[in-house]
Amino acid sequence: MPTVVSAENLMKKYGDIVAVDGINFSVEQGECFGFLGPNGAGKTTTIKMIQCVSPKTSGKLEVLGMDVDLYPKEIKRNLGVVPQENNLDPDFTVYENLMVYSRYFSIPKNEAKERIEKLLKFMQLEEKRDAIIERLSGGMKRRLILARALLNEPKRLILDEPTVGLDPQARHLIWDRIRSLKKEGVTTILTTHYMEEASQLCDRLVIMDYGKILVEGRPEDLVREQIGTSILETKANPEVLSCLQKMKQEFEIVGDTIHIFTDSPSDLMFNLMGQCRLSQTTVRPATLEDVFLKLTGRALRE
Amino acid sequence: MASYLKFPKVSNWAWKVWMRDWKVFMKTYKVNFILPFLEPILYLLALGFGLGGFVGPIDGIPYAVFLAPGLISISIMNSAFFECTYGSYVRMYYQKTFDAIIATPLNLDEVIAGEIFWGATRSLINASFMLIVVIAFGLVSLPMALIIIPFSFIAGLLFSALAMCFTAISPNINALNYPIFLLITPMFLFSGTFFPISALPQPIQYASFATLPLVHVVEISRALTLSRWSGFLPLNLIWIIIVSFLLFVISINLMKRRLIA
Ligand SMILES: Nc1ncnc2c1ncn2[C@@H]1O[C@H](COP(=O)(O)OP(=O)(O)OP(=O)(O)O)[C@@H](O)[C@H]1O
Ligand SMILES: [Mg+2]
């Protein structure tokens, strides 16, 4: 399968700040590829280099086999982009925003009109076509930005936190649209802070921190490799802690709870219950969020 | 220094940016087309006819006739300068319009070029309205004065490129007050607009010619409205073209430094 994006030793510095620190990854055609990471990890910076709006400091970066430094116009023509920050044009209505944007891609006017009708319907914005941007809710703005990103009928979509700040309904609508685009063969690159979003949409993802990629893989594989199938949670107290230590059982302490990663929760539970006096014990399936927190720690960023 | 003179990569796609600004302008065309009429009429009434009644003819020319090309030149300067300072700053910083456009096949060079051409277009529009007013008052010689229309676009480029340099280096929107008070206001007063430059001490005259863009614009505008030629006019025009071009290149490089980290 042809490669849509390939990065080797990709590096980006802003003055002394190293925002992206020599990362390697590739995105294959038709897949949904995710970037996860705490605030400031370098996700947006990576995305901006891919979409040719921010020049790389060093390393190799090719999009559709073209060098980002040499062919920005050709690359950008073939991408649809939803930026992290809304940048709809407040001087225009919903419809005009799409019309004006279509001109930047040199889409002929009649063609643009047809596409806009389809997109307004696709993103359920038909009733808002003459509304000014200021009057739109956050969810509508996000939907409009996605519609705008689809004007040039791109086969590759770049979505930087597409559902940030949206209610569950709006989020599900956007997920649904991303899935149906994927069915049409659109390659998607996505950043998100919602682990559920990443698990639901991404075929493959990387977790970044401090400009570096920590792990890469399929969401379910990452959970299995890093955690196991399940997590046993139990209340922490000195007695239980020393008991677990005596049993040479590995565990993590999160607040006043003990987390134990396992592939066979019932055996573990049976074993521990016999030896230690556990209280408030539950077993739940491991999730991507557990992987994320295990790898990037629990300390607040920025 | 050389990095600020790097030649920009501008194609005719820049007109797409111009078109965006034009569409916004036309959305409120009634306001945009009525206001430009109002200002010159007020100035002409107050200064040309009011004050002019106390001021004798200058070089044998009635004061209102002397003043008319000055007012047109000021309008050329102000419309381009305000469009490419406050207007462009709002689009760049608050509306993120430039960010949105450079995610499409257009590059930043083309965005800035489009903005500068749009600023010059504002000069052309406003100067044309002023021309209608001064023609109505019978203050200019026709048809020569009509050359002001294309000329106002060229002169507009000078001020929009200059403005764009300030926009690129302003840390915030209030900082744009500095070039307005320190550069635009003195130019407004000392460029031969309200009185001939020859009234000033000789060294100041030379300094004005060398450094104040508006001086050259007033010289040419006055020659056109009076139909009076002088051998210096080609020099004025060359000064305007060279400086506009330099400022155009510099402003794009400054903008790149600011926006493309
Ligand atoms: N234009 C800039 N100038 C200087 N530093 C920057 C710039 N943009 C980003 N940075 C820095 O680069 C680092 C990575 O930022 P980036 O926006 O890529 O993070 P992110 O992973 O997208 O974070 P978030 O989840 O908060 O969006 C941060 O330390 C940030 O402060
Ligand atoms: Mg980000």
Side-chain angles (χ1 to χ4, degrees), chain A residues 198-199 202-205 217-224 288 291:
Chain A
S199 318
C202 296
D203 299 307
R204 242 159 22 103
L205 57 84
R218 305 167 63 80
E220 59 276 16
D221 293 349
L222 287 176
V223 175
R224 212 180 41 240
L288 198 54
V291 179

Side-chain angles (χ1 to χ4, degrees), chain A residues 10-22:
Chain A
L10 181 61
M11 166 104 93
K12 173 80 190 187
K13 287 186 190 166
Y14 294 110
D16 291 337
I17 303 169
V18 182
V20 172
D21 194 359

Side-chain angles (χ1 to χ4, degrees), chain A residues 12 14 51-55 73 76-77 81 85-93 96 100-101 103-106 109 148, chain B residues 9 11 13 16-17 19-21 23-24 27 91 95-97 99-108 110 259-261:
Chain A
K12 173 80 190 187
Y14 294 110
Q51 59 163 133
C52 305
V53 298
S54 178
K73 253 194 166 65
K76 290 197 283 181
R77 204 193 303 275
V81 179
E85 263 186 89
N86 284 344
N87 56 18
L88 293 161
D89 202 325
D91 288 325
F92 293 114
T93 64
E96 290 166 338
V100 168
Y101 216 69
R103 208 175 297 118
Y104 302 142
F105 287 95
S106 294
K109 195 160 184 175
R148 193 182 70 176
Chain B
K9 286 188 213 133
S11 73
W13 288 55
K16 294 174 190 292
V17 179
M19 197 61 153
R20 179 226 165 259
D21 291 339
K23 292 269 173 193
V24 178
K27 282 191 83 158
R91 289 190 281 277
Q95 302 189 173
K96 309 274 177 223
T97 310
D99 290 345
I101 302 178
I102 60 171
T104 73
L106 280 87
N107 61 29
L108 188 65
E110 288 157 347
L259 295 177
I260 300 186

Side-chain angles (χ1 to χ4, degrees), chain A residues 14 17 19 38-45 84 161 193 302, chain B residues 261:
Chain A
Y14 294 110
I17 303 169
N39 291 138
K43 304 178 297 293
T44 299
T45 305
Q84 181 172 351
E161 301 192 24
H193 288 296
E302 310 212 307

